[in-house]
């Protein structure tokens, strides 16, 4: 008779499948010399033989899978029989011998783990669906644990999962008996960043005690992001690590509190991080793919407890040369001053996987359009504590190819802070290549712009048809393959929309650089606000239109006293369009949501609700307009007058022969400004389509795995959602729970600085005690008023007309509220940001890029905001 237990390293590859996924993986690790705890593996046929001896044929796993319905009570009865039956003597003898051998090697207690044939495979992980019992000290406990592993096959959830794998699925359950590792620190490492797909970065989660608390999501661990090539820390976030799972001397485990001082310390030393980094590289190299590795450290020895394949976001194939040498990560300058306005706060994994790829591709196209080369392996965007940042070091290196334009110009146009660390980068680059490519660049630029309007007209027809087709699909009625195809269609639409929007943006940037350079040469005496006055009050900027429309609807509501009174006195969060008295206002708001309902606060975050789902901000804005006397017509006349005066000054400043060219250049800047804002609206619409698919995918995931909770798809990457859709066997609940906790932890962390060097500091930076805060002038005019700080949409109802609105990032979803404010202050953004363009359209004084404004100011402070010079003066508390 074959042996019922084998040493784990003796399980040879050709027979490993009979021992189950976990044993197969551990055997491969042990044979390759990885530090795996001593273990024995029991093949699946032992359990099958046991079932044959204690269960009737109709109660055995294969027969149950063929039955259309098996009551839970019957399954519970079968499982109890399996646990209560007497084990064969050969099994008992085999276990006795294995425990003696492990004890001779120093083991004092044991872990028993199920190792099902369908477990820990790339196509069917079954993660968390079978049993693991820890710190067993007696032989009878180990024998009971083996029967418990076998009985786990009769859980309703396990049988339901097996049915999804098809008729030929192997149903045997092997068992691993392993020496218990009394880990002081343990956790999980990913050999590739599982959210961003960055193959140059590994992610380590670590906490005190046994790793079960990290794997099950019961503790918030430390998170380390380590550069795979150098071993340098890219980021470190300390979790609270409030509890740890420890071994009981008498057997079993228990949860104990971690001392407060210990919680604030990193769980891993620098040396341990380097050991784990080396281990990750070896594991990935051995298996040839990305791995999720469970590990533990006991007495300074790192042990590998498990290694499973993982799915990571795919990266596009990139053309171009590689960088000659990598940057020292400690000197890289990161900033989210501009991109943070588009996507403020912590991004969900789904949003990150969509937008990081979109942003990277977009930046490459924009640089290419300006005649710059971009190295193939360049890292343009990064993720720090869930927030998106751009790599200013790389940006400056690429932009330094442009002659006569210092990268600080583009940095400041985007709202970033130029750091002195960038100077040495700029000094290293040559413009020779740029001049060699200049004929092709000019030719391509002329060719693209010659047909650009025709291309946009064709695109608008295509977009309209695709929007109508996709909106006509009810995702609830689709088969999984159909929902997957719908997601693919939305991806393609984003690609097409983004491509043409980014072409417009590259053209806008080129034209703005030419215009600002010209103004510096011929109009220095007109002050820094001259450029803003030339581009104010354009009247037909798409992103500003919702605010104008709501102001007009408010004037309409004044003519319907019952509607106006209801909007004034009711809680905005409780109002709905359908709940308003019938009439012109109700009809107009219905049309407003049809036209603009796809927009919303943090609208680039796919998990965030849109105005059509939550119209609270719409009613807040209406109430503010009803309670104010803003004369929008007069404001527009003032803007037009200021713009015309600026145009007159420009004509007088420019030599006569150059005036037609300058006038044309100004028209080009205005045209591309309108075009970019219009096309960005289309991008936001497509993100809403992603949201529609993700909500339906979440509903299906929760139906399949209730423990995953609502909105599960937003805590998966795009690639992972697609895998869930085409593979009914994929289980993601544990992954979702981990990432949900990580997302909540990132939200609770202080916001990293808008610009930092190397790695974000642990604190958020000091608040200013000065009575005068400085930022960037974004929209002309001076305003005085009381401060109203809004950190999230739920606080919008507190806003009163005439207050100075202060927000961390004024993304386009806040825009309608700008019209009711006397002024706007933001922590992020620059002169070219979407919010700055909208504010200039509204004629609302604004200062952007004010460091720590939401913490340096307080609700109710009286301030004077100067949008001409970029200052906020505190007049009184």
């Amino acid at each position: 008779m074959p042996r019922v237990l084998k040493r784990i390293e003796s399980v040879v590859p050709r027979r490993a499948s009979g021992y189950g996924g976990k044993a197969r993986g551990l055997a491969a690790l042990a044979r390759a010399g990885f530090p795996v705890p001593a273990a024995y593996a029991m093949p699946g046929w032992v359990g099958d033989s046991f079932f044959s001896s204690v269960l009737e044929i109709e109660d055995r796993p294969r027969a149950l899978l063929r039955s259309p319905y098996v009551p839970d009570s019957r399954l519970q009865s079968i499982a109890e029989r399996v646990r209560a039956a007497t084990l064969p003597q050969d099994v008992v003898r085999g276990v006795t011998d294995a425990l003696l051998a492990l004890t001779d090697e120093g083991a004092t207690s044991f872990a028993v783990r199920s190792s099902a044939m369908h477990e820990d495979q790339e196509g069917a992980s079954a993660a968390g669906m079978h049993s693991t019992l820890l710190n067993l000290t007696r032989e009878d406990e180990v024998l009971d644990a083996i029967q418990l592993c076998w009985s786990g096959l009769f859980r309703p959830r396990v049988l339901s999962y097996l049915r999804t794998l098809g008729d030929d699925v192997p149903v045997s359950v092997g068992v691993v008996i392993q020496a218990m590792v009394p880990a002081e620190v343990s956790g999980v490492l990913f050999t590739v960043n599982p959210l961003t797909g960055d193959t140059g970065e590994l992610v380590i989660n670590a906490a005190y005690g046994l790793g079960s608390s990290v794997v099950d999501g019961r503790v918030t661990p430390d998170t380390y992001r380590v550069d795979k090539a150098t071993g340098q820390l890219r980021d470190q976030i300390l979790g609270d690590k409030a509890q740890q799972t420890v071994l009981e001397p008498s057997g079993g485990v228990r949860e104990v509190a971690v001392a407060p001082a210990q919680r604030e310390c990193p769980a891993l030393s620098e040396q341990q991080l380097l050991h784990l980094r080396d281990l990750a590289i070896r594991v990935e190299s051995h298996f040839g793919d990305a791995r999720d590795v469970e590990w533990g450290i006991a007495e300074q020895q790192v042990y590998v407890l498990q290694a499973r394949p993982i799915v990571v976001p795919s990266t596009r194939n990139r053309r171009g040369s590689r960088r000659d040498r990598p940057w020292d990560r400690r000197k890289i300058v990161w900033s989210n001053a501009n991109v943070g306005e588009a996507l403020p706060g912590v991004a969900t994994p789904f949003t990150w996987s969509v937008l990081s790829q979109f942003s990277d591709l977009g930046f490459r196209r924009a640089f290419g359009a300006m005649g710059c080369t971009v190295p193939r392996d360049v890292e343009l965007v990064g993720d720090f504590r869930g927030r998106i940042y751009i790599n200013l070091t790389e940006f400056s290196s690429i932009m330094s190819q442009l002659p006569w334009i210092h990268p600080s110009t583009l940095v400041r146009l985007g709202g970033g802070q130029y750091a002195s660390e960038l100077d040495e980068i700029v000094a290293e680059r040559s413009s020779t290549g740029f001049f060699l490519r200049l004929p092709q660049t000019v030719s391509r630029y002329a060719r693209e712009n010659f047909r650009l309007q025709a291309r946009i007209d064709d695109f608008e027809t295509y977009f309209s048809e695709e929007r109508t087709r996709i909106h006509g699909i009810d995702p609830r009625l689709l088969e999984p393959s159909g929902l997957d195809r719908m997601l693919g269609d939305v991806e393609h639409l984003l690609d097409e929309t983004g491509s043409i929007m980014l072409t417009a943006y590259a053209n806008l940037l080129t034209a703005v650089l030419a215009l600002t350079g010209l103004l510096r040469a011929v109009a220095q005496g007109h002050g820094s606000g001259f450029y803003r006055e030339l581009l104010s009050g354009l009247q037909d900027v798409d992103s500003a239109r919702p605010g104008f429309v709501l102001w007009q609807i408010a004037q309409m509501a004044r003519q319907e006293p019952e509607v106006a009174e209801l909007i004034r006195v009711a809680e905005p969060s409780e109002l709905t369009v359908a709940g308003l008295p019938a009439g012109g206002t109700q009809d107009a708001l219905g049309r407003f949501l049809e036209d603009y309902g796809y927009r919303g606060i943090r609208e680039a975050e796919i998990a965030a609700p849109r105005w059509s789902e939550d119209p609270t901000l719409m009613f807040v804005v209406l109430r503010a307009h009803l309670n104010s006397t803003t004369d929008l017509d007069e404001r527009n006349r003032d803007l037009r007058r200021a713009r015309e005066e600026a145009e007159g000054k420009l004509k007088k400043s420019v030599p006569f022969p150059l005036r037609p060219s300058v006038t044309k250049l100004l028209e080009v800047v205005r045209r591309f400004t309108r075009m970019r804002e219009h096309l960005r609206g289309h991008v936001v619409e497509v993100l809403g389509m992603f949201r529609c698919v993700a909500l339906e995918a979440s509903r299906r995931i929760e139906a399949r795995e209730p423990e995953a909770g609502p909105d599960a798809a937003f805590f998966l990457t795009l690639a992972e959602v697609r895998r869930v859709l085409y593979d009914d066997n994929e289980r993601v609940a544990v992954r979702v729970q981990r990432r949900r906790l990580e997302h909540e932890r990132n939200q609770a962390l202080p916001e990293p600085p808008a610009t930092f060097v190397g790695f974000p500091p642990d604190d958020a930076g000091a608040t200013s005690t000065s009575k005068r805060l400085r930022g960037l002038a974004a929209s002309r005019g001076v305003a005085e008023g009381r401060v109203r700080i809004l950190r999230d949409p739920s606080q919008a109802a507190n806003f009163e007309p005439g207050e100075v609105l202060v927000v961390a990032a004024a993304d386009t979803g806040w825009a309608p509220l700008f019209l009711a404010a006397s002024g706007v202050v933001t922590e992020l953004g620059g002169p070219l940001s979407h919010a700055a363009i909208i504010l200039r359209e509204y004629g609302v004084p604004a200062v952007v890029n004010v460091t720590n404004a939401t913490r340096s100011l307080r609700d109710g402070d009286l301030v004077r905001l100067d949008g001409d010079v970029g200052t906020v003066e505190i007049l009184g508390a």
Side-chain angles (χ1 to χ4, degrees), residues 415-547:
Q417 298 173 7
Y418 189 77
S420 58
E421 285 82 358
L422 300 177
D423 286 330
E424 60 187 76
I425 307 299
V426 175
E428 292 180 3
R429 296 304 298 261
S430 166
S431 299
T432 303
F434 173 85
F435 284 114
L436 292 174
R437 293 185 300 274
L438 189 58
Q440 296 95 320
T441 302
V442 171
S443 174
R444 183 175 65 245
Y445 184 84
R447 187 170 60 252
E448 287 188 356
N449 281 278
F450 178 72
R451 290 202 68 255
L452 184 58
Q453 191 57 56
R455 183 182 166 200
I456 288 176
D457 292 341
D458 291 343
F459 168 77
E460 289 292 342
T461 302
Y462 160 76
F463 185 86
S464 177
E465 292 172 350
E466 278 296 279
R467 174 174 52 196
T468 301
R469 184 183 68 82
I470 292 173
H471 284 329
I473 298 172
D474 187 343
R476 297 169 299 179
L477 305 179
L478 296 176
E479 293 292 323
S481 59
L483 193 60
D484 182 50
R485 281 195 301 274
M486 182 179 178
L487 183 55
D489 290 344
V490 175
E491 280 188 85
H492 179 70
L493 186 57
L494 180 65
D495 220 25
E496 293 294 316
T497 309
S499 173
I500 197 161
M501 184 196 77
L502 294 163
T503 299
Y505 184 67
N507 285 323
L508 171 62
L509 196 55
T510 303
V512 165
L513 288 171
L515 181 61
T516 53
L518 183 66
L519 292 180
R520 278 198 304 271
V522 303
Q524 286 185 341
H526 295 309
S528 60
F530 190 48
Y531 167 83
R532 294 187 295 276
E533 290 173 357
L534 287 169
L535 298 179
S536 296
L538 303 182
Q539 295 298 303
D540 53 355
V541 174
D542 276 16
S543 50
R545 196 167 294 139

Side-chain angles (χ1 to χ4, degrees), residues 849-862:
N849 214 250
V850 180
T851 303
N852 289 328
T854 58
R855 294 190 298 127
S856 299
L857 298 171
R858 294 177 297 175
D859 279 336
D861 282 352
L862 181 64

